[in-house]
Every structure is written in structure tokens, then in C-alpha cells.
Amino acid sequence: MRYFQYQSEELPNLNNKTRKELLQCKIEIEQFIQQIETEENKGLAIKTGSLQRINNWNNILIQIEDKMSAKDYQELLLIYNDPNYQSKYYEGFEKFISNTKK
């Protein structure tokens, strides 16, 4: 269910998420992958099905990481060009932003 929710709701709205929200998504997906691998190692899952599930989650993870990289670059460029720029994307990362401005 969560996989289909990511496909239909989360991925189309990546542009509207803050860095904190993207990090939370990334951590959640890494936990799903870890859980699938643990099930496989314990023999609780069919190996071919597990591999496909891991690949599906990895594809979503790659999209989130790519979006984070692109948004990081865009926001840092805006901050560099305008020291007074207030980034909504970096809410909760004030220390990082202040260090970057220095």
C-alpha cells in the first residue's frame, strides 16, 4: 500500500516538499528496503519477489535523492546570490544555512 501511495501521491509532489520531508521519505524507504532484505535473509520471503520489491523501492529512492540534489543546488545558488533570501526548503537547517552564508 505504501509503495502505491509513494507512486501516486509522494513522487508527483516532490517539488513542494522541504528538505526535512524529503529526508524523512528517504529514511522510510531505506527502512522498507532493509525490512525486505531482512525477510529474505530469514527465509520469510520469496527471493524473486523480494528482488523486484527492492528494485521498486530503489527506483523511488533514486528519484528522491536526485530531487534532493537538484533542490539543494537550486536553493544554495539562490542563497549565494542573495544573502537575505529565506529558503522554505531549508526550514530546520538554519545552522547549515548560516554556515553556508559565511
Side-chain angles (χ1 to χ4, degrees), residues 4-19:
F4 292 113
Q5 185 178 9
Y6 265 97
Q7 289 284 53
S8 62
E9 296 173 17
E10 302 292 336
L11 288 180
N13 294 316
L14 289 180
N15 281 331
N16 303 326
K17 295 194 176 294
T18 64
R19 189 167 206 279

Side-chain angles (χ1 to χ4, degrees), residues 71-98:
K71 296 257 313 186
D72 284 348
Y73 179 76
Q74 291 171 343
E75 290 294 316
L76 289 173
L77 197 59
L78 290 170
I79 291 167
Y80 176 78
N81 288 320
D82 181 8
N84 298 321
Y85 175 73
Q86 296 296 317
S87 175
K88 291 183 181 182
Y89 173 72
Y90 276 114
E91 284 181 4
F93 292 88
E94 286 78 17
K95 186 173 182 178
F96 171 75
I97 295 302
S98 66

Side-chain angles (χ1 to χ4, degrees), residues 6 9 11 21 26 30 33 35 40 44 49 57 61 65-66 68 70 83 87-88 94 101:
Y6 265 97
E9 296 173 17
L11 288 180
E21 292 169 329
K26 181 180 172 183
E30 288 171 344
I33 292 170
Q35 179 183 355
E40 186 178 286
L44 300 174
W57 282 114
L61 183 62
E65 289 174 338
D66 287 348
M68 285 178 69
S87 175
K88 291 183 181 182
E94 286 78 17
K101 288 180 179 180

Side-chain angles (χ1 to χ4, degrees), residues 30-45 47 50 53-54:
E30 288 171 344
Q31 289 173 342
F32 286 141
I33 292 170
Q34 179 79 32
Q35 179 183 355
I36 294 168
E37 289 172 347
T38 301
E39 289 173 0
E40 186 178 286
N41 290 338
K42 290 183 178 180
L44 300 174
K47 291 190 185 276
S50 296
R53 288 173 53 206
I54 290 171

